[in-house]
């Protein structure tokens, strides 16, 4: 039986890395029925800046999605479609495995860090208003419910994957109520997992630890704003995958944005979306296929002949994709 999966190719380099990922999954023989749909409402209407309701319905129906990046205006403009999608589907846990790839230069070796980021609240609630001209207020929302479920998600993940330590990242010395509530919820949940060591680190100390000893970090759980970290530790945005998980469905997407500077040039590195797709295959119970593709990706990086420019290689998207398919031992269909 084919797995029904919603595919939102996204914008900028999104469609290029989505095509590459799809080719590799198909070459590995994974049986997926893709439902391809735009994440953004029709550009020609005034809804162009909004999330496409049909995409939300499709993910709800299929319960699994693979998604490319969608652009967000830096200041002003409409709220982020990426954030709106995660919120509408209540994908509260953002999981980012950050791990070295062979041959990719980075400041640290042996990084194997799991970042668990709360996805639905904090300053990302987007509740801002101008109090009087020249004064703006932005609301940080932290609830016990969301803090408890993200802590439970992190501890469950750690238990399933044999991880030993979880660091809760906070700024409760200053934000005593909001970050205090996160910590309180974390401590309560930690009591139910006696084999996992709960630690608490202030966000600035955590940043320092990432710069000095990133390879000492195991699992990190944190609020939305503090969680946008760590991709640079292992060779940049082109190689870090992520999963957004809720109780009913899951959406897998790269950490990077639309990279307009290299879009449509065939230069994008599809590794981040491909590794996100491997997280998806594990989620779908396709473990053997995920391991086979991972081995092919690692071989391609170890050989180092067909890696892309962002990781100091010379290959383009298609050459990298073909090399991974080659490493699977599959025929290359162009
Ligand atoms: P957005 O506005 O959508 O966030 P951005 O360009 O500001 O886009 P990113 O897309 O995250 O932010 O990327 C920053 C830079 O990292 C890009 O300009 C690009 O050079 C590089 N980059 C990101 N992802 C990739 C990738 N998959 N392959 C190669 N380079 C990448």
């Amino acid at each position: 039986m084919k797995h029904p999966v919603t595919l939102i190719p996204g914008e900028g380099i999104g469609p290029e890395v989505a095509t590459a990922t799809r080719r590799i999954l198909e070459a590995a023989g994974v049986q997926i029925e893709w439902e391809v749909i735009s994440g953004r409402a029709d550009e020609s209407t005034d809804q162009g800046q909004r999330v496409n309701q049909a995409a939300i319905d499709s993910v709800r129906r299929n319960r699994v999605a693979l998604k490319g990046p969608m652009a967000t205006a830096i200041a002003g403009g409409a709220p982020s479609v990426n954030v709106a999608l995660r919120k509408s589907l209540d994908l509260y846990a953002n999981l980012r495995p950050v791990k070295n790839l062979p041959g990719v230069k980075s400041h640290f070796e042996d990084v194997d860090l799991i970042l668990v980021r709360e996805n639905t609240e904090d300053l990302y609630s987007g509740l801002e208003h101008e109090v009087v001209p020249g004064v703006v207020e932005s609301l940080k929302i932290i609830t016990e419910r969301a803090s408890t479920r993200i802590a439970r998600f992190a501890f469950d993940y750690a238990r399933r994957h044999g991880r030993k330590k979880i660091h809760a990242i906070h700024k409760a010395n200053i934000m005593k109520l909001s970050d205090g509530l996160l910590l309180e919820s974390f401590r309560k949940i930690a009591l139910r997992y006696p084999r996992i060591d709960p630690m608490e680190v202030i966000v600035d100390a955590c940043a320092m630890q990432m710069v000095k000893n990133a390879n000492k970090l195991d699992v990190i759980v944190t609020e939305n704003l503090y969680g946008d970290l760590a991709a640079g530790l292992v060779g940049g945005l082109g190689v870090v995958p992520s999963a957004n998980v809720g109780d009913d469905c899951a959406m897998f997407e790269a950490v990077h944005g639309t990279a307009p500077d290299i879009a449509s040039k065939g230069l994008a590195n599809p590794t981040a979306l491909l590794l996100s797709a491997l997280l998806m295959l594990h989620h779908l119970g396709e473990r053997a296929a995920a391991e086979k593709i991972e081995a092919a990706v690692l071989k391609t990086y170890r050989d180092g002949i067909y890696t892309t420019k962002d990781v100091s290689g010379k290959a383009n998207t298609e050459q990298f994709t073909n090399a991974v398919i080659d490493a699977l031992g599959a025929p290359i269909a162009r």
Side-chain angles (χ1 to χ4, degrees):
M1 198 203 78
K2 288 191 171 187
H3 300 282
V5 173
T6 302
L7 175 62
I8 301 172
E11 298 157 353
I13 59 170
E16 299 164 63
V17 292
T19 301
T21 300
R22 207 173 146 167
R23 278 189 61 208
I24 293 168
L25 264 55
E26 277 162 13
V30 188
Q31 297 293 309
I32 292 180
E33 186 74 51
W34 299 102
E35 187 175 351
V36 184
I37 190 157
S38 163
R40 196 183 292 280
D42 186 355
E43 287 284 359
S44 61
T45 70
D46 60 354
Q47 307 255 303
Q49 292 306 313
R50 309 237 183 93
V51 61
N52 183 3
Q53 183 57 41
I56 296 175
D57 296 343
S58 166
V59 184
R60 286 215 177 103
R61 211 170 34 247
N62 295 325
R63 306 186 70 177
V64 178
L66 184 67
K67 174 185 160 295
M70 282 183 291
T72 306
I74 292 285
S80 162
V81 171
N82 301 300
V83 174
L85 255 176
R86 291 173 209 143
K87 272 198 195 164
S88 321
L89 294 161
D90 200 22
L91 304 175
Y92 61 85
N94 178 224
L95 180 80
R96 296 180 176 192
V98 184
K99 201 171 171 182
N100 293 102
L101 281 168
V104 176
K105 277 208 197 84
S106 72
H107 293 299
F108 304 97
E109 295 302 320
D110 308 322
V111 177
D112 186 7
L113 156 66
I114 303 293
L115 198 123
V116 177
R117 173 187 188 192
E118 205 290 321
N119 243 349
T120 61
E121 54 183 30
D122 189 14
L123 282 158
Y124 279 61
S125 301
L127 298 172
E128 295 190 310
H129 64 273
E130 191 176 51
V131 183
V132 290
V135 181
V136 168
E137 192 169 56
S138 185
L139 298 181
K140 168 167 172 143
I141 307 290
I142 299 291
T143 65
E144 185 178 4
R145 174 174 176 265
S147 304
T148 301
R149 69 182 180 176
I150 197 68
R152 195 182 302 118
F153 181 93
F155 278 97
D156 273 346
Y157 182 92
R159 184 163 62 186
R160 276 203 314 279
H161 292 83
R163 300 276 178 157
K164 302 278 179 273
K165 265 188 302 192
I166 300 192
H167 287 82
I169 309 302
H170 65 94
K171 190 77 184 172
N173 52 333
I174 305 297
M175 281 166 278
K176 293 180 195 291
L177 283 183
S178 54
D179 285 19
L181 181 55
L182 175 91
L183 278 188
E184 219 177 275
S185 314
F186 174 76
R187 287 175 196 149
K188 276 190 200 154
I189 292 293
L191 294 174
R192 301 188 199 164
Y193 298 80
R195 287 168 195 268
I196 300 167
D197 210 2
M199 331 264 274
E200 295 171 10
V201 195
I202 294 179
V203 63
D204 22 326
C206 175
M208 172 121 95
Q209 204 167 334
M210 280 196 180
V211 175
K212 285 179 128 177
N213 305 304
N215 38 11
K216 299 264 168 16
L217 293 163
D218 192 350
V219 177
I220 285 180
V221 61
T222 191
E223 291 165 11
N224 214 337
L225 186 68
Y226 310 146
D228 207 1
L229 291 166
L233 295 175
V234 290
L237 289 165
V239 299
V240 179
S242 87
N244 294 292
V245 185
D247 291 332
D248 300 323
C249 38
M251 189 166 73
F252 299 82
E253 61 182 318
V255 167
H256 61 72
T258 55
D261 54 335
I262 56 164
S264 309
K265 293 183 181 159
L267 298 175
N269 184 355
T271 303
L273 190 66
L274 177 59
L275 296 181
S276 308
L278 300 193
L279 295 174
M280 178 183 86
L281 292 184
H282 280 286
H283 181 84
L284 291 170
E286 293 281 355
R287 195 170 149 189
E291 286 173 357
K292 178 167 134 184
I293 300 171
E294 188 183 7
V297 173
L298 294 180
K299 179 177 185 312
T300 305
Y301 274 95
R302 223 177 293 114
D303 293 349
I305 305 168
Y306 294 110
T307 53
T308 47
K309 288 197 175 135
D310 56 305
V311 290
S312 310
K314 294 196 176 76
N316 60 28
T317 313
E318 193 180 0
Q319 289 164 327
F320 172 84
T321 307
N322 288 343
V324 175
I325 292 174
D326 239 357
L328 286 168
I332 295 178
R334 279 168 223 267

